[in-house]
Structure formats: structure tokens, C-alpha cells
Amino acid sequence: MTTTELKAVSLASVLLVGAGCQSFGLAPGIPALTLTPLPPVGEVVDGPFFEDVTDEVGIGGGSEAAWGDFNNDGWVDVYLSGGLWQNNEGKFTQVDSEVGGGKGFWGDYDNDGFLDIFTASGGGLFHNLGGQGFENVSNLVPERGEHVSRGAVWGDFNNDSYLDIYYAGYEVWEPSRDYADFLYLNEGGTAFRKHWESPAKERARGVTASDFDGDGDLDVYVSNYRLQPNKLWLNDGMAGFTEVGEARKVDGDGDLGAWGHTIGSAFGDLDNDGLVDLFVGNFSHAPAYQDRPKFLKNLGADSGWMFEDKSGGAGLGWQESFASPALGDYDNDGDLDLYLTAVYGHNHNVMYRNNGDWTFTDVTDSASVSRDNTYSAAWADFDNDGDLDLATGGRLYRNRGNAGHRLKVRLIGGHGVNGAAIGASVRLRVGEKTLTREVEGATGEGNQNDLTLHFGLGDVTGDVEAEVRWPGGGVQNFTLQSDHLATIRYLPVNK
């Protein structure tokens, strides 16, 4: 394919919000924006949306999935809890590496342009050696000890351009030994130091982060188990956290003093209004006082960034052991759909198609994805054909395609933004809708979607106006094109 290199639109008219932000521009000879055509849009397929290609592509085993292109060849690789699989243009080979130890999360902690990986079990940190292998540098993360954890998330919580780690604490059976959550700040890519720990020792499961209030810093949502309220930690921009879960109405119902057994949650703009909403994947037993899974709508600045429970009319059927959600637009119609796992044998995983009006249709049977119990679910376009594929339960399901147009956006940091651009977001203006996607450091419990953002566009073709919001509050506008991969680099103004 030929690559069209375009310059950013209106580079001089950039809105900067907050202290310490840098201007944007073009360095000599380096494009801020590169557009690469995607394969032609396909036809509407007959039969199921997905097909199991696990054996065909050479993947085997593993559980929780984290997608990341560790060797920068343009083909997204995958870490499946204990195994690293390299994508060779749509086929996979297992990599013999130092990486291991349960759930993993990709992030470029030293800003060298290559994705490193942190694993929740044991707090392992593995440094990427230029895409050629990994070195165990877990000693850079102090005081891990016997910390029991089921989740973590990358994010530049103090906006110094280096990724930090929010490391959740789980439980042991002696109550006095439950573990607090830790925040490790990155010391310039050379080491981490413990900056903060949660005042309460609760049973955290999945952790995810989002700039849900649009102030340029990442806030953290913690899914707590054992009928405990979930936590929303509001960031002051300098990694100072205030708990606002109850105030913003995202902690759970709390009826009879018991909340839910939340395993994983996911941020995403579910109604295309430009605001990041939240889905909470509650495991719940039959008594009605236990929280069911929840669709929570972000009401925006005018409401003080409160959330509204939209679950009642959403159409999500109850199962006892719902676990880890993953949001992705599998049918390229512009709406984020939901795949939600379950972990008890009498339950099954479900796929829900987003109808765009806070109602969802169960398409589990027609989708033909796994119904088998698992904690694993994450989206990526592993074959670079422009539609999202799904890793779940150690299996890989290829999207068979559709007639919807699409756009992929890969953000690259630098010059004051973390290299992986985790925490950045892109907003597309499509008619009366604003489609929003964020680069995530983790989702659900122990999973991570591809860092390359995916937008379904339906029947929209041609130019698409995009706004990029970088960590720290910088905002830049571009004109992109449907059916392309847009690679956007953060560059300082050439003075």
C-alpha cells in the first residue's frame, strides 16, 4: 500500500489546558500525521459474525489477554497470562522470554519506544530489549513483598511523561492480611517509588483508568469484591487521589449495607456524546440487594460529573457469575458493543450489540463466540483488516467482516507525553455524534485492549474531523480519512 503523509490541520491554533503543557507542531522532516489505507470494506457476511481461528493461527492456551505490538512491526502481539505470542502477519508463534507471572499489562515505562509489561501476580516488571526479548527488572518496583493482587493499570498520574503503576490489593483469608492498593510513581524511567496506598484494605479485582471528567489527568476506578463498594479515585493532576465513588454514584447501590461482587469494569463512550461512560461487571447472587451489572451514563460537567444508572431498560439479562467486560465496536456501526464473561459452569459468556439508545440486544448465538467460562476478554484487529477480533478464554475469534466503514488511530507520545500515549483520547465528529476512544492501560479484570484505537463509521466515508486530547490537557485537531490507519505523533513546536 502507498502511504499518504499529511500535515496536521490548524497546528497553530492549539488549545492548551493546565500547567506544564507543551505546544504542538512539526519537527523538520517528520510528519505529525501519516495515513495508511486499510483493506477495502467487505460485504455483509452470511452466518456468524466470528469464527474460532485459534488452531489456524497457532495460538494455544493462556487466559487473560493483553494486546500490544512489542516489536513495532505493525502487527499486534498478545500476552495470554503466562505466554507471549508474536504476531507474524496474522500467524502466531510463542516467544521464549522472561515474561511471565499471570495477568499482564503493556506500557512503555522508560519511553524508549518499545512496550514493556507489568504483571499483577508478584508485581513483575519486564523491560523490552528493543523488540528482541525481555529482561526481568522487577527489582525496580519496591515493597512488593507478598502482595496479593488480581489487577493493575498503567497511567501517567502526575503528568510528568512517565507511566506510573496503580497496583491493586486483594485478599488472603486472614482478614488482618488483606492488602491495600498501592500507587507507584515512575522516577524518570529508572525506578519506581511507592507514593500512596489506599486507606482501606479492600478486596480489589479489576482496575481501569480514564479521564472521565476531561481535566487532562487519569482517574482510577477500582472494582471491589466481597459486597464492598467500588472506588472512584479522582486525580488532582499530581497523583493526589480523592475518593468520590459514592458522590458520583458509581460505588453501587449499597442496599442493606452490601454492594456487589465486582470483578471487572470498563470505561467507554456508550452513547456517542463525547463523554466517557462506565460499565460495571457485577457478579451477584440471587438476593436482590446485591448489585447487578450496571450501565452508568456520564452526565458531564453541568451535573458535576455525576453518573446515571441506565441499567433498568438496557436489556441485560441476569446471570450469577458475570465477571470481566470488554467494550468494542465489532460491527463497525459506530457504537461500542459489550462482551461480558461469566465464571460459573451453569452460566455462559454473552455478547450484546449496542443499539445506540442505551438498549442492548443479545447476539451471543449469532456472534458464535465462546460461551465457555473465563475471566479473559480483550479486543484487537490482529489481522489488520479493519474490524475487531476477540481474544477470550485462551481462544482467538476472527471477525468475519461487515460492510461498515472504519478508522484506526495509533497515537505515539514523546516530548512530554508518555511513549505509549496511554491516557490520550480521540474524538471524531460524525454528524450529530461524537465518537470517543481512549488509549487504556487495562480493562476488565487483568485484560488490555489494543492500544491502537478503533472506530466503526457505518456508512460514513471521506474526511472525518478528529480531536486528540493528550495527557496533561493538550488538544490538537486533525482531518483524517475513513478506511485508513492514522498514525499521529506528539511533536513540539519547532522554534
Side-chain angles (χ1 to χ4, degrees):
M1 296 183 231
T2 60
T3 298
T4 304
E5 294 183 347
L6 302 176
K7 291 189 175 182
V9 175
S10 302
L11 285 173
S13 58
V14 175
L15 173 64
L16 293 177
V17 183
C21 299
Q22 299 187 28
S23 299
F24 296 76
L26 293 174
I30 302 177
L33 170 62
T34 301
L35 291 177
T36 304
L38 295 171
V41 172
E43 301 295 330
V44 177
V45 298
D46 294 326
F49 294 116
F50 293 88
E51 61 181 338
D52 186 342
V53 295
T54 309
D55 298 333
E56 175 186 332
V57 303
I59 281 181
S63 183
E64 286 86 353
W67 292 98
D69 183 4
F70 75 82
N71 58 357
N72 291 341
D73 66 351
W75 295 85
V76 64
D77 312 297
V78 65
Y79 175 78
L80 298 172
S81 283
L84 177 59
W85 299 84
Q86 181 175 322
N87 187 344
N88 305 296
E89 300 186 10
K91 303 289 186 179
F92 289 83
T93 55
Q94 188 166 11
V95 177
D96 183 13
S97 75
E98 289 285 333
V99 177
K103 307 169 181 67
F105 311 91
W106 295 104
D108 183 5
Y109 80 86
D110 56 352
N111 289 339
D112 66 352
F114 290 90
L115 291 175
D116 313 297
I117 195 163
F118 180 79
T119 58
S121 299
L125 180 63
F126 301 89
H127 179 232
N128 189 334
L129 302 174
Q132 302 302 308
F134 291 83
E135 176 188 8
N136 189 332
V137 293
S138 302
N139 61 300
L140 299 184
V141 185
E143 301 181 49
R144 299 182 332 275
E146 297 179 354
H147 195 77
V148 175
S149 177
R150 298 181 65 98
V153 67
W154 289 104
D156 181 8
F157 298 108
N158 58 355
N159 284 328
D160 67 350
S161 83
Y162 287 93
L163 286 175
D164 312 303
I165 302 169
Y166 189 105
Y167 187 32
Y170 188 50
E171 64 182 1
V172 293
W173 290 108
E174 302 87 357
S176 62
R177 294 189 61 203
D178 291 346
Y179 294 98
D181 298 356
F182 294 163
L183 178 64
Y184 290 109
L185 291 186
N186 190 332
E187 301 275 84
T190 61
F192 291 81
R193 64 178 172 86
K194 192 172 80 169
H195 169 74
W196 171 89
E197 68 177 70
S198 60
K201 294 181 178 181
E202 293 169 325
R203 282 85 165 188
R205 298 288 292 256
V207 188
T208 189
S210 170
D211 182 13
F212 78 92
D213 55 359
D215 64 355
D217 56 58
L218 279 175
D219 311 297
V220 177
Y221 189 75
V222 182
S223 299
N224 280 325
Y225 202 61
R226 303 278 183 224
L227 301 178
Q228 295 177 332
N230 297 328
K231 301 296 186 184
L232 178 59
W233 294 104
L234 192 67
N235 188 355
D236 66 3
M238 298 299 292
F241 287 158
T242 302
E243 209 290 302
V244 297
E246 182 179 4
R248 305 300 170 88
K249 297 185 177 180
V250 297
D251 61 329
D253 289 338
D255 197 16
L256 299 181
W259 289 262
H261 300 283
T262 315
I263 291 178
S265 303
F267 281 107
D269 183 3
L270 292 164
D271 55 359
N272 292 330
D273 64 353
L275 301 173
V276 179
D277 310 301
L278 180 63
F279 177 80
V280 181
N282 282 311
F283 177 119
S284 56
H285 301 298
Y289 64 81
Q290 297 188 15
D291 285 343
R292 292 351 188 191
K294 293 186 178 298
F295 289 98
L296 300 174
K297 174 180 171 59
N298 188 337
L299 298 178
D302 291 344
S303 75
W305 301 102
M306 304 280 283
F307 287 77
E308 177 188 359
D309 189 346
K310 305 291 286 187
S311 310
L316 177 62
W318 176 76
Q319 292 187 85
E320 183 178 21
S321 65
F322 279 139
S324 190
L327 297 173
D329 181 7
Y330 76 86
D331 55 356
N332 283 338
D333 68 349
D335 300 315
L336 284 174
D337 308 301
L338 169 68
Y339 183 74
L340 178 58
T341 74
V343 293
Y344 277 0
H346 60 280
N347 297 149
H348 61 85
N349 307 336
V350 293
M351 178 81 82
Y352 280 90
R353 182 181 182 273
N354 187 343
N355 300 319
D357 58 359
W358 289 103
T359 68
F360 295 77
T361 300
D362 187 339
V363 294
T364 306
D365 292 337
S366 58
S368 194
V369 292
S370 175
R371 297 165 62 95
D372 296 338
N373 306 136
T374 184
Y375 291 99
S376 167
W379 296 98
D381 179 13
F382 85 90
D383 53 359
N384 285 341
D385 65 352
D387 48 46
L388 286 177
D389 311 297
L390 179 68
T392 180
R395 311 294 294 178
L396 181 58
Y397 291 84
R398 184 179 72 85
N399 193 323
R400 299 182 61 231
N402 53 71
H405 295 275
R406 61 273 202 258
L407 174 66
K408 293 168 62 174
V409 181
R410 182 188 178 209
L411 300 179
I412 301 174
H415 307 287
V417 169
N418 73 87
I422 287 174
S425 64
V426 176
R427 287 164 171 77
L428 303 184
R429 187 67 177 172
V430 179
E432 297 300 313
K433 298 180 179 180
T434 302
L435 281 60
T436 305
R437 305 287 186 268
E438 290 185 302
V439 184
E440 299 170 315
T443 194
E445 186 197 79
N447 298 282
Q448 188 175 24
N449 297 321
D450 188 4
L451 301 181
T452 296
L453 303 177
H454 171 271
F455 295 85
L457 297 177
D459 59 2
V460 173
T461 60
D463 290 349
V464 181
E465 298 305 315
E467 176 189 88
V468 181
R469 297 186 182 183
W470 300 95
V475 179
Q476 188 174 16
N477 296 308
F478 295 89
T479 298
L480 308 181
Q481 292 178 15
S482 66
D483 303 314
H484 282 72
L485 165 66
T487 302
I488 299 176
R489 295 167 175 84
Y490 178 99
L491 296 172
V493 169
N494 184 38
K495 295 182 179 181

